């Protein structure tokens, strides 16, 4: 696997463009399009929230019914969720507009929205945005980057990841209402690989369990979470149709891209000053490892302690304890680590002999890891979150105004 | 049912006392004792956290093995959780000290602790505290009030509730690490009723489902949560041994006391400026109603919006949607209410026609309710939380120092 630069336009045949359509924001780009030169086999994972935004319903239907898709239209600012019967209408009109302007069949057009719930979309502005974007579609690295910026809401950094020789590139957004199960995150991963729809779907479904679904900013699973994976086959490889060595390489590359995007999302959580990672090793089962890791990064008390650079390991142990996994607290061990070093903080049922000063130094970095050694089995999992800060409260006490 | 004044000492034969033992705090009382003149039938519910503080383990064993208890010793400041093998030793020594000083058998003494996890208890200070308290035991209303104050940690208000002719009184503490399943809450309810252990246990077990277990401040289920219910029979009623009319009256009184304590705890959540109540009506099942109500009061985004007095109903709908309960979002209706009025905010799948100004006024009160009408069945449930504020972050970013 070779890491190259470039985002969603890195893979052969993918183009992107953006527009400042003025949907809600007045002074920035707020629409993006990704288009494949040829129809791309498509897989998707979507929010498990019972309350699903209209674009989620639209994409779920399209991905289930159609082998391929060729374009994705994204807007930021308004989520098109809880928009009543009008909601699906916006999706249909958006797809029809793309068909009208560039001849791609409306049933090959996917849509995604993020932003305020309950506001209606200004359809004329969306249509103008599409007219503006189509002539500007480009496979330049810069276009991929602009697209990653255009889909941001409370995000402070754009999130892009690049791939390898059979190229895989991605972008995503997500900062608050982040507790993917599948997650207000939007993720778009493109590849020029030739692969069957069945294997593409399985690869994505398996990978989100260890990537996006291991991220939490605030425990709120959004109405809009969507990850779309488009594979247009333009690399010219023999199509992957079984779980051979090439499939494994693809799975590995996909995991690299999704993990990197997931970490970027967590590190840019609303108000965050640090990426907070929980790595659980030597658990009995994979599910135990996931549940334990996620419980730690979801704990408000632990997140506030990380903000305070306070080695309050009791809160971590508490979060492990209420996770649902069964274990003997006397047997496990806890460590803090960052680029400033690694220290043991808990063993034999009580505090290890560590220096608070050293702990504070380790916890003052921008990426902080708590390592949980369950001392029992062979399974491991990692989850990503962020610290809980004054700015999270500030951003969310007054988001709509 | 008649509401009278007085807390844990309101019921006949119960006495309380406090001490400033200097366990961690230097300038306040930090120990309390509750003693019944005669052995009291005892029921308890305890944290479901796998990591259980030593006093939880001690009390669980005692309540399971013994019909009665006669004394409860509580300290604030140090939780006696994750204290290794020493932990149970403190419990035993505390009970033995009570036996030595006042002749109550050690196996009739329950203990409870709240505070920092992982620190060792100063046993000499605990012992001195007991020596100080025993001669001061009193059934005065003031003693019950002082006890409710002595068990506070980050609590800003003491929490007491009083009862009725067969008297039931209670006190509790709890402010952070509050997500009772059974909750860092401690609750102590005393009654002079004569009732069998079996029915007392069942009444408590059932009632916590709708009271303490419907409270959340931060989603963190503590290592120390304990509710103890002591019934000493000194009212002189014929012992309740079946689910007759008298049992139902007791259940009603218990629910009144526990609900009032639970609400006080939620309203005094760490950093809170408002009690945030979610009432779900017309749900299909009781469990659905509980899960939906609790999901709303647990949502960080909704809690931050309440702090901002922002009628961001999309977040409430989102929290209902990821609760796990299944429903049709187009059918349900949402309302905000407080002593300033009541408005409908959502119906027919989208925003109702309401005035933002009026909504802000309603949301600016100290007690705010979101009413969720599922429009389907006959079941209802209420959950209590609080808003998410800068002060929650402040308190928890630097709790240990």
């Amino acid at each position: 696997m070779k890491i190259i630069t470039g985002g969603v336009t890195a893979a052969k045949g993918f183009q992107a463009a953006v527009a400042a359509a003025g949907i809600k924001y007045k002074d920035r780009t707020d629409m993006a399009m990704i288009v494949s030169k040829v129809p791309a086999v498509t897989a998707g994972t979507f929010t498990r929230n019972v309350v699903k935004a209209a674009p989620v319903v639209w994409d779920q239907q399209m991905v289930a019914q159609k082998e391929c898709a060729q374009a994705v239209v994204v807007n930021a600012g308004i989520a098109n969720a809880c928009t009543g019967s009008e909601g699906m209408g916006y999706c249909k009109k958006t797809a029809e507009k793309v068909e009208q302007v560039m001849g791609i069949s409306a049933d090959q057009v996917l849509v995604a929205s993020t932003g305020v719930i309950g506001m209606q979309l200004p359809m004329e502005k969306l249509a103008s945005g599409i007219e503006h974007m189509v002539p500007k579609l480009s496979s330049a690295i810069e276009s991929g980057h602009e697209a990653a910026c255009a889909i941001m809401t409370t995000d402070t950094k754009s999130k892009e990841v690049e791939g390898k020789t059979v190229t895989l590139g991605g972008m995503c957004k997500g900062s608050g209402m982040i507790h993917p199960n599948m997650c207000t995150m939007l993720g778009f991963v493109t590849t020029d690989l030739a692969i069957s729809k069945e294997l593409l779907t399985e690869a994505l479904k398996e990978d989100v369990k260890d990537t996006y679904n291991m991220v939490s900013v605030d425990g709120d699973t959004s109405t809009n979470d969507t990850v779309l994976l488009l594979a247009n086959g333009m690399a010219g490889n023999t199509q992957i149709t079984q779980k051979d060595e090439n499939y494994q390489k693809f799975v590995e590359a996909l995991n690299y891209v999704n993990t990197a995007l997931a970490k970027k999302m967590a590190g840019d959580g609303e108000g965050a000053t640090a990426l907070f990672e929980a790595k659980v090793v030597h658990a009995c089962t994979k599910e135990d490892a996931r549940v334990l890791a996620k419980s730690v990064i979801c704990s408000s008390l632990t997140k506030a302690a990380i903000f305070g650079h306070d080695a309050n390991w009791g809160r971590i142990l508490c979060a492990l304890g209420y996770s649902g996994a069964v274990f003997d607290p006397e047997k496990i061990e806890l460590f803090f680590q960052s680029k400033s070093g690694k220290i043991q903080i808990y063993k034999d049922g009580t505090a290890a002999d560590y220096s608070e000063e050293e702990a504070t130094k380790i916890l003052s970095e921008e990426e902080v890891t708590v390592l949980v050694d369950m001392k029992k089995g062979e399974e491991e999992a990692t989850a990503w979150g962020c610290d809980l800060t004054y700015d999270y409260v500030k951003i969310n006490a007054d988001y709509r105004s």
Side-chain angles (χ1 to χ4, degrees), chain A residues 97-119:
Chain A
K97 186 71 189 177
V98 173
E99 177 169 315
Q100 180 206 321
V101 177
M102 63 185 303
I104 290 174
S105 167
D107 62 10
Q108 300 262 314
V109 179
L110 301 175
V111 292
S113 298
T114 175
V116 180
I117 295 175
M119 282 178 73

Side-chain angles (χ1 to χ4, degrees), chain A residues 38-234:
Chain A
V38 296
V41 174
T42 304
T45 58
F46 304 94
T47 186
R48 290 193 196 150
N49 197 313
V50 171
V51 181
K52 288 176 173 46
V56 168
V57 177
W58 175 272
D59 290 358
Q60 262 182 324
Q61 286 173 358
M62 288 299 166
V63 170
Q65 291 164 12
K66 306 284 168 185
E67 178 80 7
C68 290
Q70 202 170 344
V72 185
V73 178
V74 193
N75 78 276
I78 295 179
N80 192 10
C82 306
T83 40
S85 52
E86 286 98 323
M88 291 300 285
Y90 302 131
C91 301
K92 188 156 181 284
K93 283 177 194 158
T94 301
E96 285 169 355
K97 186 71 189 177
V98 173
E99 177 169 315
Q100 180 206 321
V101 177
M102 63 185 303
I104 290 174
S105 167
D107 62 10
Q108 300 262 314
V109 179
L110 301 175
V111 292
S113 298
T114 175
V116 180
I117 295 175
M119 282 178 73
Q120 301 293 346
L121 277 170
M123 194 58 225
E124 319 69 43
K125 290 180 180 173
L126 280 177
S128 304
I130 291 165
E131 279 172 11
H132 175 85
M133 288 190 285
V134 170
K136 291 173 64 191
L137 282 165
S138 155
S139 59
I141 288 179
E142 190 51 30
S143 296
H145 176 64
E146 286 171 2
C149 292
I151 63 173
M152 290 159 62
T153 53
T154 51
D155 306 57
T156 65
K157 297 171 195 157
S158 63
K159 294 151 187 103
E160 284 180 279
V161 175
E162 54 296 315
K164 55 175 280 283
T165 318
V166 165
T167 304
L168 201 70
M171 70 177 186
C172 76
K173 67 79 57 186
S175 191
M177 207 177 267
I178 295 292
H179 185 83
N181 192 345
M182 188 72 243
C183 25
T184 296
M185 63 152 293
L186 303 176
F188 306 95
V189 180
T190 54
T191 177
D192 44 26
L193 186 75
I195 183 170
S196 70
K197 176 141 182 152
E198 190 189 340
L199 286 182
L200 189 74
T201 302
E202 183 173 337
L204 180 62
K205 193 179 149 202
E206 285 304 309
D207 197 57
V208 296
K209 291 181 192 166
D210 284 315
T211 57
Y212 302 111
N213 285 3
M214 291 302 283
V215 171
S216 184
V217 167
D218 49 21
D220 285 280
T221 301
S222 153
T223 50
N224 285 55
D225 301 337
T226 300
V227 173
L228 295 172
L229 171 56
L230 284 78
N232 69 5
M234 287 183 74

Side-chain angles (χ1 to χ4, degrees), chain A residues 230-291:
Chain A
L230 284 78
N232 69 5
M234 287 183 74
N237 63 304
T238 310
Q239 195 193 35
I240 297 174
T241 54
Q242 51 188 347
K243 292 184 177 176
D244 55 14
E245 197 188 337
N246 287 331
Y247 177 76
Q248 292 310 328
K249 279 187 191 154
F250 167 67
V251 163
E252 200 184 311
L254 181 65
N255 181 257
Y256 170 82
V257 168
N258 284 342
T259 299
L261 288 172
K263 285 177 73 168
K264 280 176 194 237
M265 200 161 57
D268 190 28
E270 284 176 343
T273 68
L275 170 71
F276 175 39
E277 180 180 80
K279 183 168 186 179
V280 172
V281 298
H282 300 129
C284 286
T285 68
K286 186 77 179 168
E287 194 48 30
D288 269 7
R290 285 182 184 135
V291 159

Side-chain angles (χ1 to χ4, degrees), chain A residues 232-398:
Chain A
N232 69 5
M234 287 183 74
N237 63 304
T238 310
Q239 195 193 35
I240 297 174
T241 54
Q242 51 188 347
K243 292 184 177 176
D244 55 14
E245 197 188 337
N246 287 331
Y247 177 76
Q248 292 310 328
K249 279 187 191 154
F250 167 67
V251 163
E252 200 184 311
L254 181 65
N255 181 257
Y256 170 82
V257 168
N258 284 342
T259 299
L261 288 172
K263 285 177 73 168
K264 280 176 194 237
M265 200 161 57
D268 190 28
E270 284 176 343
T273 68
L275 170 71
F276 175 39
E277 180 180 80
K279 183 168 186 179
V280 172
V281 298
H282 300 129
C284 286
T285 68
K286 186 77 179 168
E287 194 48 30
D288 269 7
R290 285 182 184 135
V291 159
L292 288 161
K294 206 158 175 187
S295 187
V296 171
I297 58 112
C298 286
S299 154
S300 292
L301 286 170
T302 303
K303 289 155 57 93
I306 296 295
F307 175 52
H309 307 152
D310 177 10
N312 201 320
W313 56 263
R315 295 179 181 170
I316 294 169
L317 206 70
C318 177
L320 294 167
Y322 63 68
S323 67
V326 176
F327 63 93
D328 180 351
E330 308 278 315
K331 298 278 168 59
I332 74 170
E333 298 186 1
L334 302 181
F335 304 81
F336 276 128
Q337 66 184 73
S338 73
K339 67 178 187 185
S340 282
K342 178 178 174 179
I343 48 164
Q344 180 154 28
I345 46 172
Y346 174 85
K347 65 172 175 176
D348 301 329
T350 192
D353 184 23
Y354 66 90
S355 140
E356 290 282 355
E357 195 184 350
E358 200 185 341
T360 302
K361 195 170 154 226
I362 288 170
L363 292 177
S364 300
E365 296 293 342
E366 280 181 9
E367 298 195 4
V368 172
T369 299
V370 57
L371 178 66
V372 180
D373 190 338
M374 301 305 291
K375 299 245 159 196
K376 220 168 167 189
E378 291 307 317
E379 295 295 338
E380 62 178 68
T382 305
W384 302 278
C386 58
D387 54 346
L388 175 62
T389 69
Y390 300 122
D391 280 352
Y392 178 85
V393 178
K394 188 173 180 187
I395 291 165
N396 288 303
D398 204 22

